[in-house]
Structures are given as structure tokens and as C-alpha cells.
Amino acid sequence: MIQEHLEKLKSTLLHDSPILFLGAGFSLGGKTKSGRDIPKANELKEIILTEFLKLSKSSSEYGELTNYPLSQVCQYCSNKQSPHYLIDFLTDFFSNTRPAPFHTKLTSYYWKKIYSTNIDDLVEKVFEHNQKDLVVQQYVRKFTHKKDSATEYYKLHGSVNNPSEGYVFSTDEYVDSMVHSKDFRFSSLSSDMHSENFIFVGSNFDEINLDYYLRLYENTGYASTRGKLYFINPAPSILLKSKIERVQGILLEWTTEQFLEFLESFSSTKTSISKYDLEKDITKLGYINIDFIKDSFKNTQNYDSQLYLGYEPCWEDIFAEWDFIDNRITQQLNKFLKTSANQKSAVLSIYGKPYIGKSVFIRRIGNELRKEGYETYHFEGRNFNYYPFLQFMRNSNNFNFAIVMDNASYYYGPLKQLMKLIPNGKKLIVVTSSRPFFHFKWRYNFVGEFFFEYLIDPTISSEYAKNIVLRLEEKGYLGELKNLKTVEERVSVVTSNNDLMSLLFSLTFGKGFIKRLNKDLQPHLEKDDSTRDLLLSLAIFNKIELPHFPIELVSHLTNGRAKEYMKKVDAFTKTTSQNSLQLRSGFFTTNIFRSVAKKKIILMVEDMLVVIASQVDDKNHSYWNEIHASLTKEKTLRKVLSLNSHEIKQLLYRIRNYYSDNFNFWIQLGIAEQREKDFEKALNHFKQAEALRPTSYMVQNAIGRNFLKQANSLDNIVIAKKYFQEGEKILINLIENREEFQARAFSTHCYLYEKILFVEKFHIQLTNDEIVKMGEYLKRITDKDENDIMAKHINNVFIRFLKKTNKLNLIKLNFQDLSKLKALFTEYNVSFDELLDDIEQE
């Protein structure tokens, strides 16, 4: 058993980059600055009683307190006198520690992240001695400026190098860190406990807040996605052993010194233990080889799919032929493969409204590519790291690869970078699905690449309907259609449905099903508890078009009881391949919103923004960033969640301490001020964004646009001209000097739109040369991408302006038909102009 555990530990260290968690026992063997041994918990309690409280061992007070645990003794100290005195005492005692020689072996292995409950500076001294990069997270807010190679060190209970934020020692402090605290360090630990591998050294998990986070691990709801937990402890108590058994952890009865010696030995020989396994590496990052799924799926005849019941599609549904074949999609795939035959990399992007089968279609396409000889991967990860996949491609004997990505618009940027780096002799096809708004928001990344996009028509054609009827009959799921005798009658009923989801619900459950399910939902909405909070949060995500709800958020909203509450809402939700939740149908969103007050909606948005703060990093692409951007976007809050400008500003001001180093947050706050025509405050916030990201075109565009909008808000032309000229100078600089297509496209759209408003408001006569110059700016983006949504829109605005001013003869332009695009966005409760304005601000 010991050897088996050891081999598992070696495998985890080699392939999985585990997180290290250090308890008080890790520091034992080190010395304080005065040369005393770093004490155990009971020894520290003794020191506090005799040296801090100066109690005589013969006193009754000492006799009683010595029977209490350390946390209660510290609580007594805080009650007796100001907590600051104890903080000062502990700071002096644990500062400038001296590591034991074996401690220096800690850095022989590269740790991406270390958590610790220790307030001493022993780890800092080790990294300093070994000249290794360490970023100490010792503040309530995250410190984000760090080298990529640096280890992040999270000091959960405080740090002697930052005593101003206090320590976690007393009972009250433990409870606060567990329930009331908005400290990003604990929310980061909670998130990591859902999926990462941990090695615990020197912790008995006696602290009640850490026991709480261990329970989060147990209650994630998805045992298959949890990482492994290793416990290094030379003399584990019966209680600790029971905890380890409860979470199915692995115990190695080593001292810290023995563990670090093993680590040093392992690190010096690990290259000879095994060749670095790139396949396992990319699998851990979320790249799932569908051949592996196919090989493990043998019994297709007896497979009973959940697809028709509204569940998330899975690859087995495709392998067993449960999906409906839409020949329109097949034709687009054939056209794409033919035209991309000589391309090194290519993207096929399918977009359309929710619940119309996009996820099923891209899996069908992925399987067809697999049959054509492409080594096909389904990306199911949270953060898209393309470099390991690129390394895998380079080292593979195969030549053709494909990646299938659902809700992929957030990753268009890094996908473009991957496509540019494909090795010679290799080929990559990327198949994506997205919702319309997010597709158009990020599609500029693919301009210049081989990019094929297809809008799914939600209507059910007669040919598609016939395929559906035949498949339903084959699988024995005709439902109410069984009452109709001919295929033609059945096809007629199928085509009468608005979309596929409506059809499946009515066939499977009957036409009154949604009404009955909404009736079952109502009792959950009448109670102000975690069940309603969870349902409301899911509805908010659905309302603002965020495709899935991370399980980590479920744990936070339910105080670590994810399993329990997921079971309560099981009838209304479904799980996704990203270890997340969704409402089973958009039908529930309206009822949920109707049942809660706006104040509650604002509170839930605020809570979610605080919880995810530790995960948001505006320097990288991730779904957490997209959640943050969507929940703070001024226009989304105003138009979709119906908040007024005052409510939006108050919400953003309440969370600013968590996002003060996030440039996009300041842009959104500036837009909220701009909305109330407080352009000076808006400019101040945009300048704060500029200080954080001085070279960002988004920031410069926001500043220039603010001047133009301020000019258009004035009635005095003399003053307005000064503001307009200032903004014009900034935007023209972006248009003429920035090479990135998105920078030029956004700034061109903004400049031409505001310029036309300005000249029309003040009846300014532009010269022919000025109009031609505006036309040249427009032509530069339409020539680059004739399908760009902003280019099409401003093209039509410009044509109307030329027609009104009798200048159509100066520039040759064709009017663009935007009717289909406008129809896509009718549910957003915004005009098409506002929608483009929203995209432009991203």
C-alpha cells in the first residue's frame, strides 16, 4: 500500500503540478530570530499565557486557560485588551525566522501555488536564500504583477510582513474567514479545492475554517472532476485519519524533513522516471481525445440517451446516432472542407440562439472529422492554454488535428495565436459554437485567418423535420406523434414548432409540461434561502447570455453544501461538460425574475462579483474574466437586468476594492458616469484605466469617445468644438497608426458615428475632402472584412448621411442588408445601434 501511494504521488508530481498546503507543522525545526525553536500550537499557547498575558502558572486564570485550545486563548486576549497588542506580540515573535537546512529543499520542485496557515516568514526566507521568485499574496485583494515563473504563496491567516490586516487565531477570526470574509485568498482556496491536486504538509486540519474548506471538497457535486489529496503527517491523530478516509485522501506518514528529502531526490531524477507525458498534460488542461471516448463506448445498441429530455449532449449520443441530421449543416461542412483543403489552419464557427442544437451539431462535425482521419479533441477546460497543445502537435506522428469548442467566443483571441503557430507539415481545424452577441463581439480575432462562419436557422425545414421524425421513430421516442399515421402528418407537426427545444419538450412531456414544471418551481421561489439564490443566479447567467454556471459558485452560494442544493434544483437544471450548471430551459428565467425584487438581483450580482474576484485576471483569457465583464457591463446591467444608472454606480462603487487593479472595471464605471452625462468623472475613471493599461486601444478609444460624446451633449458650438477636436485627435491616431483590425474597426465606427451626429447637430458643412477622408477610413475596414457587423452598420449610417447632404456621388458604397442580424438581437431589449455600441466598448 505504501509503495502504491508513493507511485501515485510521483505520478501527480510529474504530470499534474499539485498545489502545496503548509500547516504549522511545516515550520517546526526552524528558529525564531532570538534562536528559540518555532513552537507547536500548545507551546505557543504557553508563550502567550506567560509572556504576553504574563500570568503566573500558579494562578487560577492560567489553570483554566491552559485547558482551552489556542484559538480560544487568543479570543480571550482579544476580549481582554485590544487585538492590536496580540498582533504586535506575534509579529515580533515570528519575524525574521531562520529555516532549518532541510527547509531549503522546498524549492527543489517548482510549485505553481502554495497555501499556508502560517504567519511566519520562513517560506519567504527559503525562496530568498535559493534565489527563487515568490509572489506573496498577503492582502485581502490579489497582487497581480508577477513573473510567469514565480510561485504564488497564499498566506491564509495573515503575514508578519503585513500585520495591518491582522491574523486568524481567535475563534471569531476563524468564523469570519469562513463565512463573512470576502478575502480573495479563501475564495481562491475554495475554487482550487474543486479541481486541483493538493499535498498537505504539517496540518492536522484542527482549524475550523480549514475543516470547512475540506468539506467543500467533499460537496463539490462532481467526484470525477476533483483532484487527489495527499497528506504528509508523521503521527496523524485518529481524527485526522478519519478525515482523510472521508475524502478518500492518501496518507504518507513522513516528517516534513522526510518529505522534502524525497522531493529533492525525485526532482533530481524525474526525467529518468518517465518521459514527459504530453498527452496526459493536455488532457489535464481539458483537451479530451474523442477517440478515447469512442474506444470506451462499446454497447451502442443498448445505449439510452438523455438528449431528448433536454440534457447536455454527450459524444455517446453522436456515436450511437441519436442526433438529428440537418443536411444544411452537412452541406456547410462539405463546403468548408473543400475550400480549406490547402490551408494550414482553419476555423468553422457556428453561431445561433440558445437551445437550437449548436452543441450537438459541433459534436457531429467533430465526429465526421474524426472519420476523415483528424485526431479530434473536445476542449472542456476553463482556461484555454494553447501552448501545451502546440507542443503535443509538434511531437505527434499524426499530421491532421481538430479542436471542437462549445461556447468558444471567449477564446477566439488565443485560438488565433495558436493558428499562427501551427508547425510545418501539420494542419489544425477548429470547430466552434457561440451565441450571436458574443460571436460578433470577438469575431474580429479571426480576420485575416481562414474563417468560415455559419448562422443556424432555428426554423425546422421540411427536410430536417423528416429526418427528425425518422430518428424519433427509430429510437422509440415519437411521443404524441405516434398518434399520427403518416410521415407527412408528423412532419407537419414538427415544422409547426418554433425551434427544436420546444418540439422535444412537447413530445416528451406533453404541451403542459413547462407550465407544470414552473408550478413546481414556484415554492422554491417563495422562500428567501440558498435554493432561491442558486436559481436566481442561474437565471441571471441565462439572462445575460453566460452559457454555464461554475460549480465553485454553487459552493459559495450554498455555504459548501453544493451536493444538497444541486439535488434540490435538479428538476430545473442540467450539468455541462465544463463542470458547471445551466437552467434546463430558458422558460424558467422569466418566472424566476418575476418572483424576486430588484434589490435581491443586485445583491446576487454583487455577491458573485466578490466571490469571483480572486479568479479574474485581465491579462489572460478565461471564463472568469467573461463572467466579470458581463456582470459589470453598464449596458447589460441597465438594459437586461433593468438597473437604473444610480443603482449601477452604487453596485460598482461597492465592489471597487476588489477590482481596483482591473482596467476593464474602471472603463465600465466610466461608462456608467458617462451615461449620466458626468463626463469629467467618466474621464477620471478612464484615466485610471489608462494608468493600469497605458497601451490598450480599448482605454484610448474610451477616452476619445468620451470627449466626442461630451461634445455632442453640449449646445455651445465653441466649447463643443474643443472637446470634439480633442477626442477626434485620439481616435484618428488609433485609426491611422494601430495595426490591429479590432482597434481600427472600433475606433472607425465610433469616430464616424459621433462625427455624423456632431455635424448634423451643429449644421456644419463638411468639405468634399473631409467626406472623402471619412470614406477612406470606412473602406480600410470593409476591405479587410466585408462581413464585420460594425462596418456594415456604419456603412449604412454613412450612406444615409451622404444622401441627406447630396454627396452620394463622392463615394461608391452599397447599402448593407442588416435585417437578419437585427432579428437575432430582438431579445436584448436594445436598439441595434446600442448593441454595436456595447460591442465597441469591449
Side-chain angles (χ1 to χ4, degrees), residues 689-782:
E690 184 181 33
L692 292 168
R693 194 69 70 86
T695 60
S696 168
Y697 72 85
M698 287 172 57
V699 176
Q700 296 303 316
N701 191 76
I703 293 172
R705 187 171 181 269
N706 191 64
F707 282 120
L708 299 188
K709 282 193 166 295
Q710 187 168 9
N712 279 321
S713 73
L714 299 172
D715 294 322
N716 186 318
I717 189 172
V718 177
I719 300 173
K721 266 189 176 181
K722 291 180 180 178
Y723 283 111
F724 194 88
Q725 288 167 356
E726 187 68 28
E728 186 175 45
K729 181 171 64 176
I730 294 170
L731 291 184
I732 287 178
N733 180 58
L734 290 173
I735 293 168
E736 295 185 345
N737 297 313
R738 294 298 289 255
E739 290 302 317
E740 308 100 310
F741 172 77
Q742 63 267 35
R744 186 173 291 156
F746 290 177
S747 298
T748 299
H749 183 275
C750 172
Y751 172 60
L752 295 184
Y753 190 78
E754 295 293 340
K755 175 95 170 179
I756 291 169
L757 288 179
F758 185 75
V759 299
E760 288 183 340
K761 176 174 182 174
F762 291 107
H763 308 291
I764 296 171
Q765 296 295 318
L766 296 178
T767 67
N768 287 351
D769 287 345
E770 288 176 310
I771 292 174
V772 169
K773 190 67 175 177
M774 292 168 69
E776 288 175 357
Y777 289 153
L778 176 59
K779 193 171 187 303
R780 285 177 73 181
I781 60 172
T782 54

Side-chain angles (χ1 to χ4, degrees), residues 219 221 531 534 558 560-569:
N219 289 289
T531 305
L534 177 55
T558 59
R561 296 156 67 189
K563 273 187 182 177
E564 176 187 342
Y565 282 93
M566 286 166 61
K567 190 173 182 180
K568 288 182 179 181
V569 300

Side-chain angles (χ1 to χ4, degrees), residues 209-244:
N209 60 345
L210 296 183
D211 200 40
Y212 167 76
Y213 285 97
L214 200 57
R215 287 185 178 276
L216 279 184
Y217 173 83
E218 293 181 82
N219 289 289
T220 58
Y222 300 112
S224 61
T225 62
R226 296 195 299 241
K228 296 183 180 71
L229 302 186
Y230 296 90
F231 296 83
I232 310 299
N233 194 297
S237 65
I238 295 176
L239 182 59
L240 178 58
K241 285 183 177 179
S242 69
K243 290 177 181 178
I244 294 172

Side-chain angles (χ1 to χ4, degrees), residues 120-128 134 136 153 155 161:
D120 62 53
D121 55 6
L122 188 140
V123 170
E124 291 94 315
K125 296 298 183 185
V126 168
F127 273 76
E128 182 182 341
L134 182 72
V136 183
Y153 182 34
K155 306 197 74 170
N161 294 316

